[in-house]
Amino acid sequence: MAYSEKLIDHYENPRNVGSMDKNEMSVGTGLVGAPACGDVMKLQIKVTPEGIIEDAKFKTFGCGSAIASSSLITEWVKGKSLDEAGSIKNSQIAEELALPPVKVHCSILAEDAIKAAISDYKSKNGVADAAE
Ligand code: FES
Ligand code: FES
């Protein structure tokens, strides 16, 4: 199976690996697991009072595609509003990294993790969800 250069780059030089203090009010934490393979992804965001994501970190215990997907999404969400970050689709990640079909669920993990981090931040800070 041939992996794309972007994927290999994010896997070999992952951006924004690390963690933040999950008890801080400005931090939202998302922890999700993939039922298909048991891989686990933790993604955290630090949000300004204006609702902009100023920093993002991840720790992923999983395959290379999951690591690359989380690395990519932490880059993408920085500087975005919560709503913008929450509307990132796994298909955009899969396309950017040219994930093979069996690895598409790895990008779903990243979408789920950012959504979980956003809702954790919102519930901690009493932010109502935008009308759906
Ligand atoms: Fe083995 Fe994901 S299934 S690392
Ligand atoms: Fe399961 Fe990648 S997250 S194989």
Side-chain angles (χ1 to χ4, degrees):
M1 178 158 39
Y3 287 112
S4 72
E5 267 172 44
K6 266 184 197 156
L7 191 158
I8 292 166
D9 179 41
H10 275 280
Y11 172 64
E12 290 185 339
N13 312 294
R15 330 296 198 259
N16 308 310
V17 175
S19 52
M20 303 174 186
D21 180 0
K22 68 172 167 46
N23 296 317
E24 263 192 47
M25 290 303 285
S26 59
V27 172
T29 301
L31 182 66
V32 297
C37 63
D39 292 359
V40 176
M41 186 180 291
K42 185 176 85 173
L43 204 148
Q44 294 181 296
I45 51 172
K46 189 170 171 61
V47 184
T48 68
E50 295 74 35
I52 301 297
I53 297 173
E54 57 177 340
D55 201 8
K57 297 268 183 236
F58 80 92
K59 272 195 176 166
T60 292
F61 305 91
C63 72
S65 300
I67 290 168
S69 297
S70 33
S71 170
L72 179 66
I73 204 166
T74 54
E75 280 199 322
W76 277 359
V77 298
K78 280 196 208 179
K80 286 197 161 64
S81 70
L82 294 174
D83 287 346
E84 286 166 347
S87 65
I88 294 173
K89 296 275 169 293
N90 86 282
S91 53
Q92 298 170 270
I93 299 168
E95 190 180 329
E96 176 77 9
L97 297 174
L99 294 181
V102 294
K103 292 289 177 181
V104 166
H105 79 268
C106 318
S107 64
I108 295 175
L109 210 52
E111 181 187 327
D112 290 350
I114 187 70
K115 289 199 164 123
I118 291 168
S119 63
D120 178 55
Y121 172 83
K122 284 185 172 174
S123 65
K124 259 162 102 174
N125 289 275
V127 181
D129 274 308
E132 311 215 329

